[in-house]
Amino acid sequence: MRPRLPSWFRRPLPPGAEAGRVKRLLGRHGLHTVCEGAKCPNRAACWHEGAAAFLILGDACTRDCRFCAIPHDARPAPPDPAEPAQLAEAAAAMGLRHVVVTSVTRDDLLDGGAGHFAAVVRAVRARLPGATVEVLVPDFQGEPVAIDAVLAAKPDIFNHNLETVERLQPSVRPQADYRRSLAVLRRAAQAGARTKSGLMLGLGETDAELRAALRDLRAADVALLTLGQYLAPSAAHWPVARFVPPAEFDRWRDETLALGFACVASAPHVRSSYHAEELAAAPRPDGRDGARPSRNPSERFDGRDGGTTSVSSDRVSQATPLPTHHFNIPSFHSSPVSP
């Protein structure tokens, strides 16, 4: 039997009209989202605001991680060469200025799909010259040529999730490798990319193991971090060991900022791509601005091509903690910018 969600995790669903428009737009362009594929609990809230994390290279993964809801297929269909242009058109229709692109893992491809990632970044740049682009990539089996191919397209944020602590990796991510993931992030940081990673809590990790993982991420020069509650997609997946209370997430936020992360999102509902624009907007250590928000905070996508409609906003600049608004969006916190 799957454990019941604690009361503090539950929240009301937002109105469905805007979410339906986003879903129809994605369908018209033949696109997938990780929101649906991974059964993200935030998808209704994100779609309500006209946001989505695009999932490229198909909707089936060559790996079979025990925490993930995306279907497994050892021989998925070839990449769609029209996908980069279709994705760029959808991003333009949604009025996005910060575009998040992730993928299934494609170990069946010689480059792991790196060339396709680069093509998507280039297509978005061509269609939306003012947009910033965040990629959430697989590990490409640690191949430097593949990693460098993505970096050559110059995404604004290079994200690769460590997911869990070292001891649990062989059980939770049997085809991945803890040290390999850190090496991917380190290579990207050394190339000058702004790097991001995420960890799930509640899989059975100890505090000491989590602290070690956080130190390893900082040693790899990761700048941006997400910490969120693990939810098992089904009874067949890795079980939830416990629900981590909000107060513990607050404590981890404080510890991670003290370690030197530039910006941290730490709360039960946080997912790697959830409100990614706020995290990306954190000032850099050299004082430069981060990525811009996905749209003017007083605007919301209305489902028509490029359409927006005014709504009240409670967002503030990244330099101060972002308040939780009416969908219980978690706060984001930045470390002070060095002079």
Side-chain angles (χ1 to χ4, degrees):
M1 180 181 296
R2 297 173 68 183
R4 286 178 58 84
L5 291 175
S7 59
W8 45 260
F9 197 92
R10 301 179 198 135
R11 59 185 180 179
L13 288 174
E18 288 83 357
R21 294 185 186 114
V22 171
K23 191 170 183 177
R24 287 192 295 273
L25 172 69
L26 296 169
R28 285 200 302 271
H29 289 278
L31 298 171
H32 305 290
T33 66
V34 72
C35 321
E36 284 191 294
K39 299 182 180 179
C40 179
N42 299 321
R43 60 187 179 274
C46 287
W47 288 354
H48 175 76
E49 297 197 341
F54 297 103
L55 182 72
I56 64 172
L57 293 166
D59 59 356
C61 188
T62 54
R63 299 186 186 178
D64 198 12
C65 296
R66 293 198 60 197
F67 67 87
C68 186
I70 290 179
H72 167 70
D73 187 344
R75 296 182 179 180
D80 179 2
E83 187 171 55
Q86 292 284 0
L87 189 153
E89 285 301 321
M94 294 171 70
L96 298 180
R97 290 187 297 171
H98 185 78
V99 182
V100 180
V101 181
T102 188
S103 79
V104 293
T105 299
R106 293 296 301 263
D107 290 333
D108 60 311
L109 301 175
L110 288 177
D111 69 347
H116 199 73
F117 258 107
V120 168
V121 175
R122 290 193 295 267
V124 172
R125 294 258 191 258
R127 184 64 180 83
L128 295 169
T132 51
V133 184
E134 176 172 333
V135 294
L136 170 55
V137 300
D139 63 20
F140 300 119
Q141 300 189 71
E143 288 296 331
V145 173
I147 300 165
D148 291 349
V150 177
L151 292 170
K154 299 190 181 304
D156 297 277
I157 303 292
F158 183 98
N159 187 352
H160 174 67
N161 283 335
L162 191 58
E163 306 291 12
T164 189
V165 300
E166 187 168 18
R167 174 180 60 85
L168 294 175
Q169 293 271 334
S171 300
V172 176
R173 305 171 72 208
Q175 295 152 295
D177 182 84
Y178 182 85
R179 295 294 161 184
R180 184 166 68 201
S181 287
L182 289 170
V184 169
L185 289 161
R186 185 177 297 108
R187 185 175 187 87
Q190 289 173 344
R194 197 171 202 209
T195 51
K196 175 180 174 181
S197 192
L199 289 161
M200 299 175 288
L201 278 60
L203 291 104
E205 71 285 341
T206 67
D207 283 4
E209 289 172 328
L210 184 53
R211 286 192 182 93
L214 295 169
R215 287 195 295 269
D216 287 341
L217 286 170
R218 276 305 297 139
D221 206 19
V222 171
L224 308 175
L225 178 70
T226 58
L227 301 174
Q229 171 68 50
Y230 168 64
L231 296 177
S234 75
H237 287 80
W238 186 265
V240 175
R242 74 184 185 105
F243 289 104
V244 180
E248 286 192 39
F249 278 101
D250 290 344
R251 175 169 60 82
W252 286 116
R253 177 202 64 214
D254 294 343
E255 287 198 29
T256 52
L257 289 172
L259 285 173
F261 289 96
C263 191
V264 177
S266 179
H269 286 100
V270 166
R271 297 295 181 267
S272 185
S273 303
Y274 190 41
H275 282 254
E277 65 271 21
E278 281 93 337
L279 200 66
R284 295 171 180 266
D286 58 9
R288 289 185 294 156
D289 289 340
R292 291 166 296 178
S294 66
R295 62 177 59 77
N296 186 306
S298 65
E299 297 176 339
R300 176 173 293 154
F301 169 67
D302 72 358
R304 298 184 294 271
D305 287 352
T308 55
T309 181
S310 295
V311 295
S312 61
S313 173
D314 54 9
R315 295 213 178 104
V316 295
S317 68
Q318 184 63 45
T320 58
L322 294 174
T324 299
H325 73 22
H326 58 290
F327 293 133
N328 295 328
I329 290 173
S331 296
F332 295 78
H333 296 261
S334 302
S335 56
V337 178
S338 301

